[in-house]
Amino acid sequence: MDPLAAAYERCRRLHRRHGRSYYLATRLLPAWKRRHVHALYGFSRYADDIVDATADLPAADRARRLAAWSARFLAGLDGVPVDDPLLPAVLHTIRVFDLDLDDFRWFLASMAADLTVTGYDSYTDLLAYMAGSAAAIGTMMLPILGSGDRSAAREPARQLGFAFQMTNFIRDVAEDHALGRVYLPRADLARFGLTPADLAATVAARRGTAATRALIAFEIGRARAHYAAAAPGIPLFQRSPRPCVRAGFRVYGAILDGIERAGHDVFAGRVVVPRRRRLALLCRSWSPAPLSAGPPVRQLAG
């Protein structure tokens, strides 16, 4: 297998192993587009793994690894041959679609922030982080998915990135805490009479309290507001990728539904969407029926 094909295959395997719901959604894309989506997933996943999958290493060592990999990537953008099992696919995808390089720089800056920032004071602060870690992924995807009016589709794509990441943050509170991070803003904790120490105690007890369940319900409202803001952008995509985007919207939204059915307790165990349910949602995604973000939503910031 030639190096470029091998790099695309490595990205596909990373995607299949770690992004199962998203990977299933990509099966609804035209075949020629899938490998480019896998490449972007592989890029983001590999950077994330440098930060999180090597958590036993000192932060300084992880920072050096991330900086070295980022430097190889940036050199590749300048045409320098890169000896890397994954980056050739990413660089090829960037060239094919003339992707905005600033999106990649912002993403890498957010990954670097995870090595030093352990929490956020306000939702505005968290949104600034997610602009690189999530919204930038949405805008990277736009040229690949295709849109007749890319400028109009840009903000909905960003909002879908925010929605997906907030869903992950809500579901993975305990896992992120184990990595030394709390993404739920301190102002939100205080709104419900909670401190970071209270959250740590809840994680240790593996059982939500009335206050933490209220906090999670509030954050679900924030996430649903982003889904609602993203929904009008889906008809702006070209016809062929719309089922894929609808599938991601529905499957990730179903995670929030599961958390609500669990009484907003994300501490007792990881909420997952059963495979049968995911497949049913994928089948529904061929329908152009309007998407619902769920129950009434709260404001995006505050």
Side-chain angles (χ1 to χ4, degrees):
M1 186 180 294
D2 73 86
L4 181 59
Y8 273 113
E9 177 61 15
R10 181 179 177 88
C11 291
R12 187 194 69 81
R13 290 180 179 178
L14 277 173
H15 197 174
R16 185 177 183 180
R17 184 182 313 124
H18 297 289
R20 289 174 295 177
S21 295
Y22 188 22
Y23 182 83
L24 280 175
T26 64
R27 304 302 295 169
L28 303 182
L29 283 174
W32 72 272
K33 290 191 175 187
R34 293 175 198 159
R35 69 173 186 166
H36 299 296
V37 177
H38 298 327
L40 294 188
Y41 183 92
F43 172 82
S44 60
R45 182 72 202 193
Y46 193 83
D48 190 67
D49 280 350
I50 292 174
V51 174
D52 288 343
T54 57
D56 55 319
L57 295 175
D61 288 349
R62 285 179 282 153
R64 280 192 289 270
R65 289 190 177 193
L66 181 63
W69 189 72
S70 299
R72 287 202 301 277
F73 168 68
L74 294 173
L77 292 177
D78 289 334
V80 177
V82 292
D83 181 15
D84 187 274
L86 180 151
L87 286 178
V90 182
L91 296 167
H92 181 254
T93 291
I94 290 171
R95 289 194 297 270
V96 168
F97 292 95
D98 191 24
L99 300 185
D100 188 343
L101 302 184
D102 283 340
D103 285 335
F104 293 86
R105 296 186 181 100
W106 290 332
F107 175 81
L108 291 171
S110 287
M111 293 300 97
D114 276 338
L115 293 167
T116 57
V117 179
T118 59
Y120 296 86
D121 287 332
S122 70
Y123 197 59
T124 299
D125 296 332
L126 183 61
L127 283 171
Y129 164 81
M130 292 196 297
S133 65
I137 301 296
T139 52
M140 285 178 199
M141 288 288 296
L142 262 182
I144 298 173
L145 297 178
S147 172
D149 189 344
R150 194 178 298 179
S151 62
R154 179 178 173 82
E155 187 55 29
R158 284 170 47 81
Q159 291 296 329
L160 195 57
F162 287 140
F164 287 170
Q165 184 148 70
M166 276 304 297
T167 300
N168 286 335
F169 287 164
I170 293 164
R171 179 190 60 190
D172 298 338
V173 174
E175 293 179 24
D176 290 332
H177 195 276
L179 293 170
R181 295 187 214 111
V182 176
Y183 289 106
L184 305 186
R186 285 183 277 268
D188 291 1
L189 270 65
R191 184 191 294 259
F192 295 96
L194 293 164
T195 66
D198 295 327
L199 191 66
T202 305
V203 170
R206 296 180 59 84
R207 182 177 181 181
T209 65
T212 59
R213 289 195 295 270
L215 168 67
I216 294 302
F218 176 78
E219 301 298 357
I220 285 176
R222 288 196 189 277
R224 290 202 190 281
H226 290 299
Y227 282 105
I234 293 177
L236 300 177
F237 288 112
Q238 293 176 354
R239 186 177 301 275
S240 61
R242 287 179 202 165
C244 171
V245 182
R246 290 191 202 104
F249 188 107
R250 287 188 168 121
V251 172
Y252 264 80
I255 295 172
L256 300 181
D257 297 339
I259 293 170
E260 289 170 334
R261 285 194 296 271
H264 301 100
D265 188 354
V266 296
F267 303 94
R270 197 171 196 260
V271 173
V272 298
V273 180
R275 181 175 175 82
R276 180 177 296 179
R277 174 66 173 155
R278 280 183 280 144
L279 291 175
L281 291 170
L282 257 65
C283 291
R284 285 180 55 201
S285 296
W286 288 104
S287 167
L291 293 168
S292 171
V297 296
R298 295 180 173 89
Q299 62 185 11
L300 292 180

